[in-house]
Amino acid sequence: MRRGARHGLLPRPADGAAPVPGGEAGVGKTELAKTLARGLGAPLIRLQCYEGLDASQALYDWDFPRQLLHLRAAEAAGVSDVSRLEGELYDRRFLLARPLLQALETSPSVLLVDELDRADDEFEAFLLEVLSDFTITVPELGTIRAERPPVVVVTSNRTREVHDALKRRCLYHWLEHPSFDREVAIIRRRLPDAAERLAGQVARAAQRMRETDLLKPPGVAESLDWTEALVALGVRDLDPGTAAVTLGAVLKYREDQQRVLGGGGAAGLEALLDGG
C-alpha cells in the first residue's frame, strides 16, 4: 500500500455482511458507508477514533449535570429515602448513549468506526470484545444485547497496523480510484452546476496527479473540492493560470504543488491539462 493508504474492515455480524472496501485516503470509503446506510434504509452511526479515546466516550456515560439537578430537586422536595434516591440516579433516563451503545440499541443500523488506527491498542481490544457478541453490560442496569447486530464498517489510515484478531473477523475489499469516466460521473452527480467540460478537465488532471510521486495524491474528495471551488469562481473551462491559483483546493502539501508546477509556474500545468 502507498503512504496514507486506508483500508476498510467489516466485522461479520450474525446475520451476514457484504464486503466494505479499503483504498487510498479520499477514495470514498466513508461515503460508501453512508451510501450503504441509505441503501439499507438504516441510520448511520459514526464513531470517530482519536488518540486517548476510551470506553466511556465510545460506549456510554452518565449525565452528571442531570443527576446533580435531580439530587437538588429531591432535596428541595424533602425526599429522605436515600436508597430510593441512589436507585433513581442510575435510571436509564440519565444514561448518555455513545455511538457503540446507540448502534446496539438501534435496529437496523450501520456503525462506522472511522480511523481505528488513531485509537490506542487498549481501545481496539475493547472494541473487539464488544463487536464479538454485540453485547455490553452496564453494571447499574444489566446486560444490553443488540436485537439485530449492526453492519459495522471499520477504516484505518495505517498510522499503525490493526491487530490480526480484528482482521480475522472482518471481510476486506480494496477500493481503487475510479476510472476517468466514473470520476466525471461522480463529479457531475455531486456537483450538477459544474460544466461537463470542467468536470472532465478536473478528473483528467486528478488522474494524472495520481500517477505522479506525490506525498498525498488527490482522491475523489479532492476532485470534488477543486471542482466546487472552480464552480464558485464561475469557471467553466479550466486553464493553467486558473489551475495554478486554485491548486490549494486539490493539493495540500507545498512539495506536491511544486512538483506538479514543475518549477514553471502555471506553464507547468499545461501538460497536466493537455487534452482536457
Side-chain angles (χ1 to χ4, degrees), residues 230-248:
L230 293 169
V231 169
L233 293 172
V235 176
R236 297 185 63 83
D237 190 357
L238 185 60
D239 60 75
T242 304
V245 298
T246 58
L247 205 56

Side-chain angles (χ1 to χ4, degrees), residues 2-256:
R2 298 175 60 180
R3 179 178 178 179
R6 301 177 68 190
H7 57 276
L9 305 171
L10 180 64
R12 295 171 291 184
D15 57 351
V20 167
E24 300 285 352
V27 78
K29 294 178 296 300
T30 299
E31 185 62 30
L32 190 142
K34 295 177 181 178
T35 303
L36 178 62
R38 288 194 295 269
L40 295 174
L44 176 71
I45 300 172
R46 181 172 182 171
L47 172 62
Q48 181 63 50
C49 297
Y50 53 87
E51 185 178 355
L53 177 66
D54 61 28
S56 65
Q57 294 164 317
L59 195 55
Y60 71 87
D61 204 355
W62 290 102
D63 191 342
F64 176 73
R66 286 192 63 200
Q67 289 175 318
L68 185 58
L69 286 173
H70 182 71
L71 282 176
R72 290 179 176 175
E75 181 181 4
V79 175
S80 58
D81 189 338
V82 176
S83 297
R84 173 191 163 190
L85 191 56
E86 286 181 352
E88 291 177 347
L89 284 178
Y90 292 99
D91 187 81
R92 183 63 178 82
R93 58 182 164 150
F94 295 120
L95 190 70
L96 294 174
R98 305 301 187 189
L100 291 182
L101 181 55
Q102 290 175 20
L104 295 185
E105 292 187 317
T106 306
S107 179
S109 65
V110 175
L111 172 64
L112 171 61
V113 182
D114 213 6
E115 300 181 329
L116 176 61
D117 57 310
R118 296 185 182 276
D120 302 325
D121 289 352
E122 293 78 7
F123 178 78
E124 184 180 334
F126 159 75
L127 181 67
L128 178 62
E129 181 181 353
V130 173
L131 299 183
S132 292
D133 55 11
F134 296 95
T135 299
I136 64 102
T137 298
V138 180
E140 298 83 358
L141 298 178
T143 299
I144 300 175
R145 182 183 299 274
E147 179 181 334
R148 177 180 175 185
V151 176
V152 185
V153 180
V154 182
T155 70
S156 169
N157 282 326
R158 298 194 73 193
T159 56
R160 67 170 177 82
E161 287 295 336
V162 176
H163 294 293
D164 289 342
L166 183 63
K167 290 180 181 178
R168 283 197 302 270
R169 292 165 172 81
C170 298
L171 303 175
Y172 181 94
H173 175 67
W174 182 263
L175 182 64
E176 299 286 354
H177 286 292
S179 65
F180 169 74
D181 290 338
R182 178 64 174 166
E183 189 157 5
V184 171
I186 292 172
I187 294 172
R188 294 279 290 161
R189 177 66 180 270
R190 294 293 298 272
L191 300 168
D193 291 338
E196 185 173 357
R197 176 173 173 77
L198 178 63
Q201 290 173 317
V202 169
R204 182 172 288 103
Q207 299 256 330
R208 288 173 176 171
M209 288 181 194
R210 291 171 195 142
E211 298 170 357
T212 308
D213 185 22
L214 301 179
L215 294 173
K216 172 58 178 72
V220 179
E222 285 75 27
S223 295
L224 291 168
D225 289 344
W226 196 14
T227 306
E228 187 173 12
L230 293 169
V231 169
L233 293 172
V235 176
R236 297 185 63 83
D237 190 357
L238 185 60
D239 60 75
T242 304
V245 298
T246 58
L247 205 56
V250 66
L251 297 178
K252 311 297 179 160
Y253 287 88
R254 179 171 177 267
E255 296 86 345
D256 287 346

